[in-house]
Amino acid sequence: MAEKIAVGVLGATGMVGQRYIKLLENHPFFKVTYVAASPRSAGQVYKNVVASKWLIGEDIPADVADLVIQDANDAKAAIGKCKFVFSALELPKKEDIKNLEEAYAAEGIPVVSNASANRWTEDVPMLIPEINFAHLDVIAEQKKHHGWDKGFVAVKPNCSLQTYMMPLHALIQAGYPVKRMIVTTLQATSGAGYPGVPSFDMIDNIVPYIGGEEEKTEKECLKILGTVKDGKIENATLPLVSSTCTRVPVIDGHTACVSLEFDLPEDKKPSLEEIKRVWAAYKSVPQELDLPSSPEQPIVYREEENRPQPRRDRETGKGMACVVGRLRPCNVFDVKFVALSHNTKRGAAMGGILNAELLKVKGFFDNL
């Protein structure tokens, strides 16, 4: 086996950073050799900082436990210690995250990011590898624009989109364009990070507002479905999305209730059975390349009338599949369904790792 690529994790002590470190344990392509966090953690041994707040449920990986945490604000400190970094940064200002990720790229260290700061940068790909792998083409223009030799930034979208983007894309790709959608998300508490929403607010309760989530849910899908033109990503114009995002007392697993209208004449719209056939047949580049973190079946349909459910279905396909159920006619639009994805795997760290696997196989790390 070829030598593994040395990688770093920025924001390594937080919930998403911890998930990265656990998921990268024994990864066939990558090995964590560098961890960085806030200045207050810098200089301390990783296991000593996270021991009392390790959230993953298993032991801290032995090859990371004794690493000394570095200051994530110092991009130069990573030079020679890792080839690229996963960014799970959490800073009060998005502009600070954007600048910091670009500082790593300027030092020749690519950044595979979970953060939202660069999602709307027009030459930064916002990847769901099954859908918009072609957006990798903008990286060359991004590097040229900044004068970067080896570094670049690639990001993943908001976790709530993962619940419905693959079922949506499968229909569009099959020739059934979508005009409008109404989406209501029921989002797990882990999406708020640690310590997250106070328990008194969540127990016996639903919080009908998550700051910034509805805007992300309504807009990010248009960039993902967009096309590369003149070295930039040109957003799609459809579908129009109206969303309501809520926080529910579930630990992991975001659910979405979706109603959609096709942009087709009545006699050209797909039947329910045709929609299920399209979803069952849906596979893409990650499956073709057999990437380590890709699910064998990206969309899994459950026929039971009471599925999907977070506790029963979030680990489907290694936590990387979209589980769909309750497909039925809609009295207002055309059809409606319920979809589920694992927000801290597909929607966070494992989604970032899948992005990195695609970048690796496509040669973006060859000359680091």
Side-chain angles (χ1 to χ4, degrees), residues 175-188:
Y176 303 116
V178 175
K179 181 178 181 180
R180 295 186 293 179
M181 297 172 54
I182 294 177
V183 180
T184 300
T185 66
L186 296 84
Q187 297 182 211

Side-chain angles (χ1 to χ4, degrees), residues 44 60 316:
Q44 301 182 64
I60 302 167
T316 303

Side-chain angles (χ1 to χ4, degrees), residues 209-229:
Y209 173 74
I210 307 172
E213 287 290 296
E214 291 169 359
E215 293 84 355
K216 295 172 187 175
T217 303
E218 293 173 355
K219 295 178 181 179
E220 288 184 14
C221 63
L222 299 177
K223 181 174 181 180
I224 294 165
L225 295 172
T227 56
V228 176
K229 184 177 181 180

Side-chain angles (χ1 to χ4, degrees), residues 230-256:
D230 299 327
K232 299 175 182 177
I233 298 168
E234 188 173 283
N235 296 342
T237 57
L238 294 176
L240 302 176
V241 180
S242 175
S243 70
T244 301
C245 295
T246 72
R247 187 77 70 194
V248 297
V250 169
I251 295 175
D252 288 319
H254 286 355
T255 302

